Amino acid sequence: MKIVFIIIGLIVLVIVVFAIYRFIIVKRQNSKLNKERFERVKELYEKLESGQDLTEQNILPYAQNILTRQTAFQLLEEHNKTNLFPKEYYSLIKGAESSLANWLEFPTELDACPDEIEHIKRVTFDFDGENNFVHYEVFKYCVNEPHWAAKDGWSLGVVGPYFDDSKPYDFAQATFSRISSKFDNVAADEEAKWVHENISMRG
């Protein structure tokens, strides 16, 4: 019996040590990623902070890049200059696309920005049975070699919930992807329903 307790104790110790190690590694990776993200928009940030004159053309490269689009809009919003944000990128789909790409980039998720991403459809649910609707934007995405997920092809990602009065860059708290959910095997409606019930409603 004593040996059993020792074995259980060792197993628990290994699990705790691994959890602590994982926490430290992820924290370092996230810190590194946040620095990289700031570097991407540093020039725009400095120009806004110093009050330099900017045009829509100055903002366009940031709006075109799905990894800087969301942050660029937020920076402009903080400085009351959203009028400079290119109109072609001011939509729920463009905002949701950027939100998903940034979420996937986290080390605990895909740990990369998708090489390809496509909007599939909007999926809508009656939130409370009283014609109060929530919407989710569903995308498919893939990465190229040598990323470990390249062999799996297209995966599904869901962004939301959005409401009828949501603005393009409102925070989408249920941005999520079960990276194992493959486009060929899971319907967009089914994936959106899973996110709605398991992420959004439990958030």
Side-chain angles (χ1 to χ4, degrees):
M1 183 63 75
K2 187 176 181 181
I3 293 175
V4 172
F5 283 121
I6 291 173
I7 293 173
I8 293 173
L10 287 172
I11 292 172
V12 171
L13 179 62
V14 168
I15 292 172
V16 170
V17 169
F18 177 78
I20 293 171
Y21 170 78
R22 178 69 176 158
F23 174 78
I24 292 171
I25 293 298
V26 169
K27 189 174 180 181
R28 285 179 180 171
Q29 289 174 328
N30 285 343
S31 177
K32 179 183 177 183
L33 177 58
N34 287 333
K35 288 178 181 176
E36 290 175 359
R37 286 179 169 175
F38 177 71
E39 285 299 318
R40 292 172 189 157
V41 296
K42 182 179 178 181
E43 185 177 350
L44 175 60
Y45 170 80
E46 291 175 344
K47 287 180 178 179
L48 287 167
E49 285 293 305
S50 63
Q52 293 185 40
D53 288 332
L54 293 170
T55 67
E56 187 174 307
Q57 284 303 116
N58 297 128
I59 309 303
L60 185 59
Y62 297 100
Q64 289 173 330
N65 185 334
I66 59 175
L67 290 179
T68 57
R69 184 182 303 156
Q70 189 177 39
T71 307
F73 183 86
Q74 290 167 349
L75 286 173
L76 290 171
E77 192 171 42
E78 289 170 7
H79 291 82
N80 298 312
K81 292 184 180 293
T82 55
N83 60 300
L84 297 177
F85 196 79
K87 302 297 183 291
E88 62 267 36
Y89 292 97
Y90 187 72
S91 69
L92 277 176
I93 292 174
K94 292 298 185 183
E97 181 183 58
S98 185
S99 180
L100 179 60
N102 278 280
W103 186 87
L104 288 168
E105 195 183 27
F106 274 105
T108 51
E109 309 309 331
L110 187 66
D111 194 21
C113 175
D115 290 296
E116 294 184 65
I117 184 168
E118 295 179 17
H119 181 253
I120 300 174
K121 66 182 298 187
R122 166 177 283 196
V123 179
T124 299
F125 300 107
D126 187 343
F127 183 72
D128 55 7
E130 297 183 8
N131 294 322
N132 292 311
F133 299 105
V134 290
H135 314 287
Y136 294 85
E137 303 297 345
V138 184
F139 297 83
K140 66 175 183 177
Y141 65 87
C142 66
V143 289
N144 298 332
E145 296 286 358
H147 193 279
W148 56 266
K151 66 182 185 303
D152 297 325
W154 293 91
S155 295
L156 292 173
V158 179
V159 185
Y162 294 110
F163 303 90
D164 290 339
D165 60 350
S166 291
K167 296 180 176 61
Y169 290 88
D170 285 351
F171 177 64
Q173 66 178 17
T175 298
F176 196 77
S177 174
R178 295 186 295 174
I179 297 170
S180 59
S181 292
K182 301 306 167 193
F183 174 66
D184 292 336
N185 301 326
V186 183
D189 296 68
E190 181 183 339
E191 192 67 4
K193 183 180 180 182
W194 189 93
V195 171
H196 176 65
E197 293 176 348
N198 294 278
I199 305 298
S200 183
M201 298 298 287
R202 296 184 183 183

